[in-house]
Amino acid sequence: MANVRDALWASGQDESVEVNQRALIDKVLARYSGEFTVFRELLQNSDDASAKAAEIRFETQPHLSQDKTAPQDDTLLLKDSSDKLPDLKTSVVHQWTFKNDGMPFRDQDWTRLKKIAEGNPDEEKIGAFGVGFYSLFSVTEEPFVTSGGQWMGFHWKDKKDQLFARRGSIPSTESAGPDPWTTFTMPLREPGPPPHPFDFIRFLTSSITFMAHLTEVSVFFDGKRLARIRKERGVPRLLGLRKGLKAETPKRLMRVTRVTVTPLSIKAEVMQWVYSYGSPRKRHLPAVVQDTRKAVSSGFFSTLFSTFGGTPQRQPSLMPEAQVQQLKEQNDEAENGKLHGVIESSVVLAVFSAAVDVVLDERMKREILRATKKSAPQKMEYQLIYTGKDEYDASKKEDEHAAGSIFQGLRADIEGDRNIRIWNEELLGVGGYLARTAYEQEMDDISTLWSTSQDNLEIKTHLRSRALHALQFFTFHASTPAPQVATVLEEAFFSCVPEATMFSALIGAEQSSSFPIISTTGIRSASAVRLPNAIFAEFLKQLPVLPEDVIAGASAMVGSLRGRGMIKEITFEDVLQELRARPLSEASFDSNAHRGLWLTDQTE
């Protein structure tokens, strides 16, 4: 049969396979659809190019038609309160522009830009599937790129389904030096309003946090700077690997070798204009501040975690209509002036970083290369952001509700290619280990402060609220788009402890259920802490009990601990142990005798 096939093959002729490139790009992008996808990819590409700064510009047709040769000072435009600001919800934007000051394109970069889904072969770079640049085609038909004195434009030949690229050099002028920016220009396929300003700035604030090189992002609308976000890293502190936690992932493909924690300060300058739109998820508007030019330490970042306050209600007017209209115009003019103001805000985060060694067999290496178009890294870094209680309160003074999940929106494919699924599950295993490390480090710090508090009630109350904050922070909520992500992370968080053995039990080693948690007596292992019981509250003074406010404030985490059998109800053995340890007072004796709680030590 093989000989017959070979004979037929020899007699045949080759024909090219035609690919509908438009349909191919659409299908590739459909898998990576999501809010702000274009900007997420361009930000990551900028970071891969070691860019320090990036600019995002939204421009209307009237602005594009203006003479751009006249010198402009974008910062001055922020202070000019005479211009009437447009409505960002209805203004029609015709072009997006993204710029970064990273390394200019090399010949290999221009060549790779023309190849769909080839990806960056550098294993140290994030981009893997080659869809970063092609995400631009979700909003534009003809993207245009300039970098290092060269340009490349894309167009659909004869307006059909085959994509072509044209490349050339930018004429140099004696008066102007080389352009330091790499620029992606996107004339929109369908002009429309810009992304919702408040949510978009919040997205950028979150994105810049994890960038290795990018430290500043600015957003402009028709030349007016809406926001500038900057970050500054502190000095990293080595934590080492915690005893009692397994640094190896379940399938032993990855192993954490080092953990550090680094303070990260993020500062934002945001026009009041942006604040006036709030978030579409919460329709309320913030109250007008008295002086928008004044530095505010909590305004912007507090809204990253909380909802806005209620909108003041307008009372019926009994004035003549003409006077009402005059006052309205004066009020509108005053409000427009305030919208030009800039609110400065800041937040300090803790970045936990894990250095990870990767060990794959040859088959797995080949499959990763096939699926991602790049070799799997031998070493990598995994980062987790933690906002401590004090820092959280400083950035969220107007809302004291529970913290949100740090894992919401984590992107991972655990349903697709089998090898990519295994890889990502192992990555989530590292994430669970790092989250557990961060949590236990916080418990260690609280335990140290508790032991030196000298029974100061105010200090202990603060420490208990700090521990509650950590429990809330490391509660794993349902994730999107893949709900399994949170499940895998939570399992890794709780299971990164050695399995208990008969030998470990004989020598008194802590079992796998060991989990540090706040109690009425400070930080204790969850196995030694009990759920409160009003019946025994009168005389169990030494037994570590879970505080009522912790049960109420961290109900999801407490429920998970109970479901895993890691925290239990008070038992009679607990009562007997405390009775052996101290005499029962007359008041406690009478109280519990009245309840009929006569206990007899059967061992005597």
Side-chain angles (χ1 to χ4, degrees), residues 446-461 463 521-522:
I446 293 172
S447 180
T448 300
L449 294 172
W450 186 285
S451 64
T452 59
S453 64
Q454 299 181 346
D455 294 327
N456 186 304
L457 181 60
E458 183 178 355
I459 293 177
K460 288 187 174 181
T461 299
L463 293 175
T521 61

PDB file of all heavy atoms in Angstrom, residues 446-461 463 521-522:
ATOM      1  N   ILE A 446       2.596  39.812  62.384  1.00  0.00           N
ATOM      2  CA  ILE A 446       1.560  40.091  63.376  1.00  0.00           C
ATOM      3  C   ILE A 446       1.878  39.390  64.692  1.00  0.00           C
ATOM      4  O   ILE A 446       1.724  39.963  65.779  1.00  0.00           O
ATOM      5  CB  ILE A 446       0.180  39.656  62.847  1.00  0.00           C
ATOM      6  CG1 ILE A 446      -0.227  40.530  61.661  1.00  0.00           C
ATOM      7  CG2 ILE A 446      -0.874  39.724  63.946  1.00  0.00           C
ATOM      8  CD1 ILE A 446      -1.476  40.059  60.951  1.00  0.00           C
ATOM      9  N   SER A 447       2.352  38.147  64.616  1.00  0.00           N
ATOM     10  CA  SER A 447       2.679  37.382  65.826  1.00  0.00           C
ATOM     11  C   SER A 447       3.790  38.066  66.617  1.00  0.00           C
ATOM     12  O   SER A 447       3.737  38.140  67.856  1.00  0.00           O
ATOM     13  CB  SER A 447       3.102  35.960  65.444  1.00  0.00           C
ATOM     14  OG  SER A 447       3.415  35.204  66.593  1.00  0.00           O
ATOM     15  N   THR A 448       4.807  38.580  65.912  1.00  0.00           N
ATOM     16  CA  THR A 448       5.910  39.271  66.587  1.00  0.00           C
ATOM     17  C   THR A 448       5.409  40.519  67.305  1.00  0.00           C
ATOM     18  O   THR A 448       5.768  40.782  68.466  1.00  0.00           O
ATOM     19  CB  THR A 448       7.001  39.650  65.570  1.00  0.00           C
ATOM     20  OG1 THR A 448       7.509  38.453  64.953  1.00  0.00           O
ATOM     21  CG2 THR A 448       8.139  40.388  66.243  1.00  0.00           C
ATOM     22  N   LEU A 449       4.581  41.307  66.630  1.00  0.00           N
ATOM     23  CA  LEU A 449       4.049  42.526  67.236  1.00  0.00           C
ATOM     24  C   LEU A 449       3.107  42.200  68.398  1.00  0.00           C
ATOM     25  O   LEU A 449       3.070  42.918  69.402  1.00  0.00           O
ATOM     26  CB  LEU A 449       3.312  43.349  66.175  1.00  0.00           C
ATOM     27  CG  LEU A 449       4.195  43.928  65.063  1.00  0.00           C
ATOM     28  CD1 LEU A 449       3.335  44.547  63.961  1.00  0.00           C
ATOM     29  CD2 LEU A 449       5.149  44.964  65.635  1.00  0.00           C
ATOM     30  N   TRP A 450       2.346  41.111  68.267  1.00  0.00           N
ATOM     31  CA  TRP A 450       1.411  40.708  69.329  1.00  0.00           C
ATOM     32  C   TRP A 450       2.182  40.368  70.606  1.00  0.00           C
ATOM     33  O   TRP A 450       1.786  40.753  71.714  1.00  0.00           O
ATOM     34  CB  TRP A 450       0.598  39.509  68.862  1.00  0.00           C
ATOM     35  CG  TRP A 450      -0.501  39.082  69.792  1.00  0.00           C
ATOM     36  CD1 TRP A 450      -0.364  38.407  70.973  1.00  0.00           C
ATOM     37  CD2 TRP A 450      -1.914  39.307  69.633  1.00  0.00           C
ATOM     38  NE1 TRP A 450      -1.598  38.181  71.549  1.00  0.00           N
ATOM     39  CE2 TRP A 450      -2.569  38.729  70.741  1.00  0.00           C
ATOM     40  CE3 TRP A 450      -2.673  39.927  68.656  1.00  0.00           C
ATOM     41  CZ2 TRP A 450      -3.945  38.756  70.897  1.00  0.00           C
ATOM     42  CZ3 TRP A 450      -4.056  39.948  68.812  1.00  0.00           C
ATOM     43  CH2 TRP A 450      -4.685  39.378  69.906  1.00  0.00           C
ATOM     44  N   SER A 451       3.298  39.653  70.450  1.00  0.00           N
ATOM     45  CA  SER A 451       4.071  39.214  71.616  1.00  0.00           C
ATOM     46  C   SER A 451       4.734  40.368  72.348  1.00  0.00           C
ATOM     47  O   SER A 451       5.083  40.244  73.516  1.00  0.00           O
ATOM     48  CB  SER A 451       5.143  38.209  71.181  1.00  0.00           C
ATOM     49  OG  SER A 451       6.083  38.821  70.301  1.00  0.00           O
ATOM     50  N   THR A 452       4.904  41.497  71.652  1.00  0.00           N
ATOM     51  CA  THR A 452       5.530  42.667  72.291  1.00  0.00           C
ATOM     52  C   THR A 452       4.519  43.761  72.631  1.00  0.00           C
ATOM     53  O   THR A 452       4.907  44.868  72.993  1.00  0.00           O
ATOM     54  CB  THR A 452       6.617  43.249  71.370  1.00  0.00           C
ATOM     55  OG1 THR A 452       6.029  43.640  70.119  1.00  0.00           O
ATOM     56  CG2 THR A 452       7.718  42.234  71.108  1.00  0.00           C
ATOM     57  N   SER A 453       3.226  43.454  72.504  1.00  0.00           N
ATOM     58  CA  SER A 453       2.195  44.471  72.715  1.00  0.00           C
ATOM     59  C   SER A 453       1.916  44.749  74.185  1.00  0.00           C
ATOM     60  O   SER A 453       1.239  45.730  74.516  1.00  0.00           O
ATOM     61  CB  SER A 453       0.896  44.047  72.033  1.00  0.00           C
ATOM     62  OG  SER A 453       0.386  42.860  72.636  1.00  0.00           O
ATOM     63  N   GLN A 454       2.402  43.856  75.085  1.00  0.00           N
ATOM     64  CA  GLN A 454       2.217  44.035  76.539  1.00  0.00           C
ATOM     65  C   GLN A 454       0.748  44.259  76.897  1.00  0.00           C
ATOM     66  O   GLN A 454       0.388  45.156  77.654  1.00  0.00           O
ATOM     67  CB  GLN A 454       3.076  45.211  77.035  1.00  0.00           C
ATOM     68  CG  GLN A 454       4.556  45.003  76.817  1.00  0.00           C
ATOM     69  CD  GLN A 454       5.399  46.153  77.317  1.00  0.00           C
ATOM     70  OE1 GLN A 454       4.878  47.229  77.594  1.00  0.00           O
ATOM     71  NE2 GLN A 454       6.695  45.943  77.449  1.00  0.00           N
ATOM     72  N   ASP A 455      -0.104  43.428  76.330  1.00  0.00           N
ATOM     73  CA  ASP A 455      -1.544  43.450  76.620  1.00  0.00           C
ATOM     74  C   ASP A 455      -2.198  44.798  76.327  1.00  0.00           C
ATOM     75  O   ASP A 455      -3.194  45.174  76.956  1.00  0.00           O
ATOM     76  CB  ASP A 455      -1.807  43.061  78.084  1.00  0.00           C
ATOM     77  CG  ASP A 455      -1.419  41.627  78.358  1.00  0.00           C
ATOM     78  OD1 ASP A 455      -1.568  40.802  77.434  1.00  0.00           O
ATOM     79  OD2 ASP A 455      -0.971  41.332  79.469  1.00  0.00           O
ATOM     80  N   ASN A 456      -1.634  45.535  75.373  1.00  0.00           N
ATOM     81  CA  ASN A 456      -2.231  46.792  74.947  1.00  0.00           C
ATOM     82  C   ASN A 456      -3.436  46.482  74.061  1.00  0.00           C
ATOM     83  O   ASN A 456      -3.289  45.961  72.957  1.00  0.00           O
ATOM     84  CB  ASN A 456      -1.200  47.630  74.186  1.00  0.00           C
ATOM     85  CG  ASN A 456      -1.731  49.013  73.853  1.00  0.00           C
ATOM     86  OD1 ASN A 456      -2.767  49.172  73.214  1.00  0.00           O
ATOM     87  ND2 ASN A 456      -0.996  50.028  74.282  1.00  0.00           N
ATOM     88  N   LEU A 457      -4.635  46.783  74.561  1.00  0.00           N
ATOM     89  CA  LEU A 457      -5.857  46.413  73.863  1.00  0.00           C
ATOM     90  C   LEU A 457      -5.955  47.088  72.500  1.00  0.00           C
ATOM     91  O   LEU A 457      -6.386  46.473  71.516  1.00  0.00           O
ATOM     92  CB  LEU A 457      -7.079  46.775  74.717  1.00  0.00           C
ATOM     93  CG  LEU A 457      -8.446  46.407  74.116  1.00  0.00           C
ATOM     94  CD1 LEU A 457      -8.532  44.901  73.871  1.00  0.00           C
ATOM     95  CD2 LEU A 457      -9.564  46.873  75.047  1.00  0.00           C
ATOM     96  N   GLU A 458      -5.539  48.350  72.413  1.00  0.00           N
ATOM     97  CA  GLU A 458      -5.630  49.082  71.154  1.00  0.00           C
ATOM     98  C   GLU A 458      -4.731  48.447  70.094  1.00  0.00           C
ATOM     99  O   GLU A 458      -5.133  48.272  68.932  1.00  0.00           O
ATOM    100  CB  GLU A 458      -5.234  50.545  71.367  1.00  0.00           C
ATOM    101  CG  GLU A 458      -5.367  51.399  70.112  1.00  0.00           C
ATOM    102  CD  GLU A 458      -5.012  52.850  70.363  1.00  0.00           C
ATOM    103  OE1 GLU A 458      -4.754  53.210  71.545  1.00  0.00           O
ATOM    104  OE2 GLU A 458      -4.981  53.627  69.396  1.00  0.00           O
ATOM    105  N   ILE A 459      -3.521  48.073  70.490  1.00  0.00           N
ATOM    106  CA  ILE A 459      -2.597  47.444  69.542  1.00  0.00           C
ATOM    107  C   ILE A 459      -3.144  46.096  69.095  1.00  0.00           C
ATOM    108  O   ILE A 459      -3.115  45.759  67.906  1.00  0.00           O
ATOM    109  CB  ILE A 459      -1.201  47.289  70.178  1.00  0.00           C
ATOM    110  CG1 ILE A 459      -0.571  48.665  70.411  1.00  0.00           C
ATOM    111  CG2 ILE A 459      -0.299  46.437  69.291  1.00  0.00           C
ATOM    112  CD1 ILE A 459       0.784  48.608  71.095  1.00  0.00           C
ATOM    113  N   LYS A 460      -3.650  45.309  70.032  1.00  0.00           N
ATOM    114  CA  LYS A 460      -4.148  43.981  69.676  1.00  0.00           C
ATOM    115  C   LYS A 460      -5.382  44.064  68.782  1.00  0.00           C
ATOM    116  O   LYS A 460      -5.574  43.230  67.889  1.00  0.00           O
ATOM    117  CB  LYS A 460      -4.452  43.176  70.954  1.00  0.00           C
ATOM    118  CG  LYS A 460      -3.188  42.737  71.683  1.00  0.00           C
ATOM    119  CD  LYS A 460      -3.498  41.802  72.841  1.00  0.00           C
ATOM    120  CE  LYS A 460      -2.207  41.263  73.448  1.00  0.00           C
ATOM    121  NZ  LYS A 460      -2.469  40.320  74.568  1.00  0.00           N
ATOM    122  N   THR A 461      -6.215  45.060  69.012  1.00  0.00           N
ATOM    123  CA  THR A 461      -7.383  45.249  68.141  1.00  0.00           C
ATOM    124  C   THR A 461      -6.939  45.565  66.714  1.00  0.00           C
ATOM    125  O   THR A 461      -7.493  45.047  65.742  1.00  0.00           O
ATOM    126  CB  THR A 461      -8.273  46.380  68.681  1.00  0.00           C
ATOM    127  OG1 THR A 461      -8.731  46.037  69.993  1.00  0.00           O
ATOM    128  CG2 THR A 461      -9.476  46.608  67.769  1.00  0.00           C
ATOM    129  N   LEU A 463      -4.031  44.736  65.368  1.00  0.00           N
ATOM    130  CA  LEU A 463      -3.401  43.542  64.805  1.00  0.00           C
ATOM    131  C   LEU A 463      -4.445  42.523  64.376  1.00  0.00           C
ATOM    132  O   LEU A 463      -4.274  41.825  63.366  1.00  0.00           O
ATOM    133  CB  LEU A 463      -2.436  42.921  65.826  1.00  0.00           C
ATOM    134  CG  LEU A 463      -1.192  43.761  66.152  1.00  0.00           C
ATOM    135  CD1 LEU A 463      -0.390  43.091  67.264  1.00  0.00           C
ATOM    136  CD2 LEU A 463      -0.332  43.955  64.909  1.00  0.00           C
ATOM    137  N   THR A 521      -5.984  34.518  71.411  1.00  0.00           N
ATOM    138  CA  THR A 521      -4.689  34.533  72.106  1.00  0.00           C
ATOM    139  C   THR A 521      -3.535  34.840  71.158  1.00  0.00           C
ATOM    140  O   THR A 521      -2.385  34.561  71.476  1.00  0.00           O
ATOM    141  CB  THR A 521      -4.438  33.184  72.800  1.00  0.00           C
ATOM    142  OG1 THR A 521      -4.405  32.135  71.811  1.00  0.00           O
ATOM    143  CG2 THR A 521      -5.520  32.889  73.822  1.00  0.00           C
ATOM    144  N   GLY A 522      -3.839  35.396  69.987  1.00  0.00           N
ATOM    145  CA  GLY A 522      -2.793  35.726  69.029  1.00  0.00           C
ATOM    146  C   GLY A 522      -2.787  34.769  67.852  1.00  0.00           C
ATOM    147  O   GLY A 522      -3.779  34.075  67.582  1.00  0.00           O
TER     148      GLY A 522
END
